[in-house]
Amino acid sequence: MARAAMTPSAAYALADAEPTPFWLADKDRPAARPALVGDETCDLLVVGGGYSGLWTALIAKERDPERDVVLIEGAEIGWAASGRNGGFCAASLTHGLGNGLARWPDELATLEALGIRNLDAIGEAVARYDIDCAFERTGEIDIATEPHQVAELKEFAEDAASLGLDRHTFLDQDALRAEVASPTFRAGLWDRDGVAMLNPARLAWGLKRACLGLGVRIYERTRATDLASDGLGMAVRTPYGRVFARHVALGTNAFPSLVKRVRPYIVPVYDHALMTEPLSDEQLAAIGWKNRQGLSDSNNHFHYFRITEDNRILWGGYDIVYRYGGGIRAEFDHHPATYEKLARHFFRCFPQLEGLRFTHTWGGAIDTCSRFSAFFGTAHAGRVAYAAGYTGLGVGATRFGAEVMLDLLTGERTERTELEMVRSKPLPFPPEPLRWAGIGITQWSMTRADTHGGRRNLWLKAMDKVGLGFDS
């Protein structure tokens, strides 16, 4: 099928956009800390300077101020997924209610309660450490744009009510369009308290500052190249030195794990986003959006979109780009064909914003696993812990994952470590070329379901039955 031609409005809107993440193009971006040179020793080494690593280091010091903690980051704090995501900080630990019901129905009520507690704790940390990240607990609306999705949202609302979750409100077409005006919207399910909007890069930088304030030693531009046992502890090699630690927590997510047996569980996929210029008062009036909720549609290939502190619209998602072999390279970050597609879809959703320009386009790798939500484990006789597989919902869930890793390293039996979600693993992805072929068939099948009333073909039904999926 030939690619659809660019509409003039979409082409014009993209003409001057900078190919860089909007959040990271911030004049207040902090300077990187020096790289590690020589040898270091510590109680806990955290590998990775995204949310997963930052929360682990911070909570470790909060639990025990005397614990000696070192964090190393291969590039700069927050440069990867933690600094370029959409800024949706969700309470869900299971990648949504539907996925949680399908995989852990018996403990979903507990998982939901833990998720809300985790989101509360994030808000408290933002206030306690005075992190200027535009934290707004506005909730999120899941939107039906096709007739079959309306019934699905009503069913989700009933499922939520059966679990005693009273924060979900079903919105019919008129009620939804009164919140945000789009001719494509048919109905919505508003999670009023389970999602916060924030500036993701400023959250990462604020966590960095908080960690430094508690005595964490942070080394940036310090890539971990090797992990090995060393007596009763661990040794991690870096380009210019080594770190000797009693325990190691790995927060590398999409990047190849230092524990090689973890690698088959993770596939790096590329997600992309656009950011508009600030809307005028007239443009804001044309779309409403006074309650500033996060929004996402209900398609398999879905869009996520939100309004920022300075009244821009971030518009991302839809394509899930997988590169053969699962490589992560800078040249993969940008995908002009996806930017074109996203721009067309934006003006289809908001035709009243014709003439609006995009100022930034960007993309990058995120980690996905076959169950769409994080998995956990230990290695090297319990001296190493890992959490990975957040599948695009890690802004909030990484804090929970940090607590799980710290629990596992101390050997504690906690409410978290007793969860089936924590004790189990997803199915690993097959090796290439089966992985490439399977993902391609799944992508095609998902697109077909979106255009055929949500009907899942035999391939998707088989994947559902064995618990193997692909998402972003």
Side-chain angles (χ1 to χ4, degrees):
M1 181 183 295
R3 182 167 63 87
M6 275 287 284
T7 62
S9 59
Y12 174 80
L14 287 165
D16 297 320
E18 297 181 29
T20 190
F22 169 79
W23 311 112
L24 297 177
D26 188 322
K27 63 180 178 57
D28 295 324
R29 182 174 182 169
R33 304 281 295 180
L36 172 67
V37 177
D39 291 349
E40 267 277 23
T41 61
C42 60
D43 297 323
L44 172 66
L45 171 64
V46 179
V47 180
Y51 297 141
S52 188
L54 290 164
W55 281 119
T56 302
L58 184 69
I59 296 169
K61 291 294 284 187
E62 289 178 335
R63 289 186 180 186
D64 180 4
E66 300 304 313
R67 183 181 292 179
D68 189 19
V69 180
V70 169
L71 183 150
I72 60 174
E73 160 56 40
E76 295 184 23
I77 296 296
W79 75 277
S82 295
R84 61 191 179 205
N85 62 80
F88 287 63
C89 185
S92 177
L93 305 175
T94 62
H95 208 269
L97 193 63
N99 192 53
L101 278 170
R103 299 182 187 277
W104 304 286
D106 295 337
E107 63 184 26
L108 186 58
T110 299
L111 287 166
E112 286 290 315
L114 287 169
I116 286 291
R117 193 188 310 167
N118 183 65
L119 183 57
D120 290 342
I122 292 172
E124 291 162 4
V126 166
R128 181 166 62 254
Y129 295 108
D130 193 24
I131 298 175
D132 178 18
C133 64
F135 187 91
E136 297 181 284
R137 199 155 170 174
T138 56
E140 179 181 4
I141 304 177
D142 194 9
I143 293 168
T145 58
E146 300 293 337
H148 71 275
Q149 296 167 359
V150 178
E152 290 172 358
L153 291 185
K154 288 180 177 178
E155 183 177 344
F156 281 144
E158 293 170 0
D159 290 337
S162 70
L163 291 168
L165 304 178
D166 58 2
R167 65 178 196 265
H168 295 77
T169 302
F170 179 80
L171 305 174
D172 63 18
Q173 180 171 287
D174 290 340
L176 175 58
R177 294 186 184 182
E179 291 293 333
V180 187
S182 169
T184 66
F185 293 176
R186 296 175 179 269
L189 185 62
W190 185 0
D191 182 346
R192 291 180 175 270
D193 190 48
V195 182
M197 297 290 106
L198 52 77
N199 180 315
R202 284 182 172 264
L203 174 61
W205 299 334
L207 291 173
K208 171 185 175 179
R209 178 169 54 83
C211 286
L212 291 169
L214 294 183
V216 176
R217 300 195 301 287
I218 296 177
Y219 297 96
E220 297 179 69
R221 299 168 183 166
T222 301
R223 186 171 65 90
T225 60
D226 184 64
L227 171 72
S229 297
D230 182 73
L232 298 178
M234 301 300 300
V236 172
R237 188 173 295 277
T238 71
Y240 306 120
R242 295 172 298 177
V243 184
F244 298 95
R246 292 178 57 199
H247 294 113
V248 177
L250 300 178
T252 50
N253 297 301
F255 297 91
S257 176
L258 292 174
V259 177
K260 292 183 179 179
R261 68 170 181 265
V262 175
R263 295 180 185 180
Y265 294 101
I266 293 294
V267 164
V269 297
Y270 282 79
D271 183 55
H272 299 83
L274 314 176
M275 184 71 85
T276 74
E277 62 189 343
L279 274 64
S280 67
D281 290 343
E282 292 77 13
Q283 289 168 326
L284 283 170
I287 61 171
W289 216 342
K290 293 180 180 178
N291 288 313
R292 306 177 60 81
Q293 309 94 330
L295 305 176
S296 62
D297 64 52
S298 301
N299 292 300
N300 291 307
H301 288 287
F302 63 92
H303 305 89
Y304 57 85
F305 41 120
R306 50 80 57 97
I307 195 163
T308 68
E309 186 179 24
D310 60 347
N311 294 326
R312 301 168 183 265
I313 296 176
L314 179 146
W315 179 268
Y318 196 78
D319 281 345
I320 313 169
V321 182
Y322 173 70
R323 307 284 185 168
Y324 185 89
I328 299 178
R329 293 161 57 181
E331 56 263 40
F332 294 164
D333 287 353
H334 296 287
H335 199 237
T338 294
Y339 298 149
E340 294 176 0
K341 191 182 300 181
L342 286 172
R344 291 197 306 272
H345 295 177
F346 177 88
F347 289 111
R348 186 183 306 155
C349 181
F350 294 122
Q352 64 270 52
L353 297 182
E354 182 80 23
L356 192 67
R357 307 286 296 271
F358 296 105
T359 62
H360 296 77
T361 61
W362 71 92
I366 62 174
D367 61 335
T368 189
C369 73
S370 63
R371 73 182 193 188
F372 313 147
S373 55
F375 63 93
F376 314 89
T378 60
H380 292 275
R383 290 172 293 188
V384 176
Y386 57 84
Y390 292 97
T391 315
L393 215 65
V395 179
T398 45
R399 187 193 174 281
F400 174 82
E403 294 209 279
V404 171
M405 283 196 287
L406 291 170
D407 290 350
L408 292 173
L409 288 173
T410 60
E412 293 182 68
R413 293 184 61 179
T414 67
E415 185 178 22
R416 290 178 290 267
T417 62
E418 291 298 295
L419 292 167
E420 173 64 21
M421 175 191 177
V422 171
R423 293 185 289 109
S424 63
K425 294 282 194 299
L427 287 174
F429 290 99
E432 299 289 15
L434 294 177
R435 178 183 298 182
W436 169 261
I439 289 174
I441 295 170
T442 302
Q443 292 262 46
W444 176 84
S445 299
M446 290 164 62
T447 300
R448 189 177 187 279
D450 284 339
T451 57
H452 287 73
R455 292 185 293 276
R456 299 175 74 79
N457 63 14
L458 291 176
W459 175 266
L460 290 180
K461 289 178 180 178
M463 294 299 99
D464 293 341
K465 188 171 183 178
V466 300
L468 186 65
F470 181 72
D471 202 354
S472 68

